[in-house]
């Protein structure tokens, strides 16, 4: 597609429920990233996928958070047993990738999903 | 732990003014520094600076990377109300941090007519 797309754009859920957020990267971008942005703060890295390599999950805040990606396409971020502190905008980004140690590529962001846990 | 700090946290100017936003970083195995503009939710890419490209310019916006001082500046000349946004600085590293960006807290720029 023309850009990174995310769905839903807004999600309100009750504390304790599970939520699933979706990201569609730019076609041809092999790297995909999830970030979280709490109100008034910068972006926090959550997880990074590159092709068929094992994902870098070092930013996931707890075992309630998980993410999957099928090949080089869609990714889903799942938050189980949501808590109020999970309320944030969840942003997905994608980029080209030319191997670890290769040149750096800029990341392009989707519009985000605003998650509100009541 | 990688760290990125931006200053000022907020800035209010009038149309036509020139502004300079600052970003400093402490990163192991630095690879790149990126500037983004965030108006609603999605950060929009502005510039990427690396060892092989320490100065970038696009229209009224320009940015310089100072690897010795571990910092970067983003300049906006002849500001317009449409420049009002949060400006985010992010740094990409290598090694075990390869792939993820560490972001600063952002500078909120407000341009009054």
């Amino acid at each position: 597609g023309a850009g990174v797309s995310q769905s839903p754009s807004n999600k309100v859920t009750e504390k304790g429920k599970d939520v699933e957020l979706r990201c569609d990267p730019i076609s041809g971008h092999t790297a995909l990233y999830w970030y979280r942005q709490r109100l008034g703060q910068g972006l926090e890295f959550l997880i990074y996928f590159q092709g068929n390599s094992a994902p870098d999950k070092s930013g996931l805040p707890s075992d309630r958070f998980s993410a999957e990606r099928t090949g080089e396409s869609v990714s889903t971020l799942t938050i189980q047993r949501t808590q109020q502190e999970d309320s944030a905008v969840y942003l997905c980004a994608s980029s080209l990738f030319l191997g670890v140690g290769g040149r750096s590529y800029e990341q392009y962001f989707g519009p985000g999903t605003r998650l509100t846990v009541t | 732990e990688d760290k990125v700090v931006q200053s000022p946290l907020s800035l209010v100017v009038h149309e036509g003014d020139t502004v300079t936003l600052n970003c400093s970083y402490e990163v192991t195995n630095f690879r790149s520094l990126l500037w983004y503009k965030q108006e609603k939710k999605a950060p929009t890419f502005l510039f990427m600076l690396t060892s092989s490209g320490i100065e970038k310019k696009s229209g009224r916006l320009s940015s310089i990377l100072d690897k010795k001082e571990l910092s970067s500046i983003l300049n906006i000349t002849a500001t317009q109300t449409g420049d009002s946004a949060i400006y985010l600085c992010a740094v990409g590293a290598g090694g075990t941090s390869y792939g993820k960006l560490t972001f600063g807290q952002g500078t909120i720029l407000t341009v009054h007519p």
Side-chain angles (χ1 to χ4, degrees), chain A residues 9 33 35 37 42-43 45 48 56 58 89 91 97 99-107 109-112 114, chain B residues 31-32 34 36 38 40-45 48 50 86 88 95-106:
Chain A
S9 55
Y33 316 78
Y35 294 87
Q37 187 175 31
L43 278 69
F45 167 79
Y48 155 55
D56 178 350
S58 59
V89 175
L91 290 156
F97 178 81
V100 176
R103 63 154 286 185
S104 299
Y105 288 96
E106 56 273 23
Q107 296 179 19
F109 284 84
R114 184 179 300 280
Chain B
R31 288 181 60 84
S32 59
L34 297 88
Y36 287 87
Q38 186 176 31
K40 291 187 178 176
K41 284 195 286 188
T44 304
F45 172 74
M48 184 170 73
T50 66
I86 300 172
L88 297 168
T96 56
S97 296
Y98 190 86
K100 57 191 174 190
L101 295 176
T102 300
F103 281 81
Q105 69 274 55

Side-chain angles (χ1 to χ4, degrees), chain B residues 45-94:
Chain B
F45 172 74
L46 295 175
F47 298 118
M48 184 170 73
L49 304 161
T50 66
S51 297
S52 58
I54 62 171
E55 191 166 349
K56 294 284 176 72
K57 182 176 171 62
S58 176
R60 297 178 295 104
L61 277 67
S62 62
S63 183
I64 297 173
L65 174 67
D66 187 336
K67 284 199 70 180
K68 184 178 176 185
E69 297 296 327
L70 306 184
S71 65
S72 174
I73 59 170
L74 176 68
N75 278 319
I76 308 175
T77 60
T79 51
Q80 303 170 357
T81 55
D83 295 328
S84 295
I86 300 172
Y87 289 83
L88 297 168
C89 173
V91 174

Side-chain angles (χ1 to χ4, degrees), chain A residues 6 21-23 32-35 45-47 75 77 91-92:
Chain A
Q6 292 186 245
L21 313 179
R22 177 188 167 109
C23 172
L32 185 148
Y33 316 78
W34 284 97
Y35 294 87
F45 167 79
L46 296 177
I47 188 169
S75 174
L77 176 70
L91 290 156
C92 175

